[in-house]
Amino acid sequence: MTATLHTAGHLNTMGLPVVSFTHIEEAAASAARAIRNVALFAVAPFIGLVYALAMPLVGLGMLVWIGASAIAHSAATRTALTSVRNVALFVASPLIGLVYALALPLVGIVLIAQTAYQAYRVRVLVE
């Protein structure tokens, strides 16, 4: 069961007139709109300043983006980047080899231990 309150223009059960609060609600909404408008009016110069200060940075960013995109799609850039990658790998190859030389014996020991454990489990389950 739901209870609803229908009081607009009616008398309540005690015979007293119903007081309408709609004018108070409208005044509160109007005051809230006015406060919001005053706040936006006060903050608007600062928002404009932020836009004015950010615009050169946005323009520079777009210029860099468009330039980098044009450079990235040229064949000379691909050749240059391939050469740089090859030189970097050539310089890094001794370090990569050292990491492999240090890590692979440990990997081998782990693989041997895993194989031994699997063989042990099969033998234990069979017996």
Side-chain angles (χ1 to χ4, degrees):
M1 178 161 88
T2 61
T4 58
L5 181 63
H6 299 288
T7 58
H10 296 289
L11 297 176
N12 64 9
T13 57
M14 298 180 72
L16 300 173
V18 175
V19 178
S20 174
F21 293 101
T22 56
H23 65 283
I24 296 173
E25 293 171 358
E26 291 171 358
S30 175
R33 267 192 309 270
I35 290 172
R36 187 188 64 166
N37 288 338
V38 168
L40 286 174
F41 181 75
V43 176
F46 300 107
I47 294 172
L49 179 64
V50 168
Y51 274 109
L53 292 176
M55 210 43 68
L57 298 176
V58 171
L60 184 63
M62 288 299 297
L63 185 65
V64 168
W65 182 270
I66 291 170
S69 175
I71 290 172
H73 292 313
S74 70
T77 305
R78 269 200 197 114
T79 305
L81 289 178
T82 302
S83 300
V84 168
R85 185 192 69 186
N86 289 339
V87 169
L89 285 174
F90 179 75
V91 170
S93 61
L95 297 173
I96 295 170
L98 180 63
V99 168
Y100 272 109
L102 293 175
L104 287 181
L106 297 175
V107 172
I109 290 170
V110 169
L111 288 175
I112 290 171
Q114 181 184 10
T115 305
Y117 179 71
Q118 287 175 353
Y120 170 75
R121 285 200 45 166
V122 167
R123 197 182 97 208
V124 168
L125 291 175
V126 170
E127 294 176 355

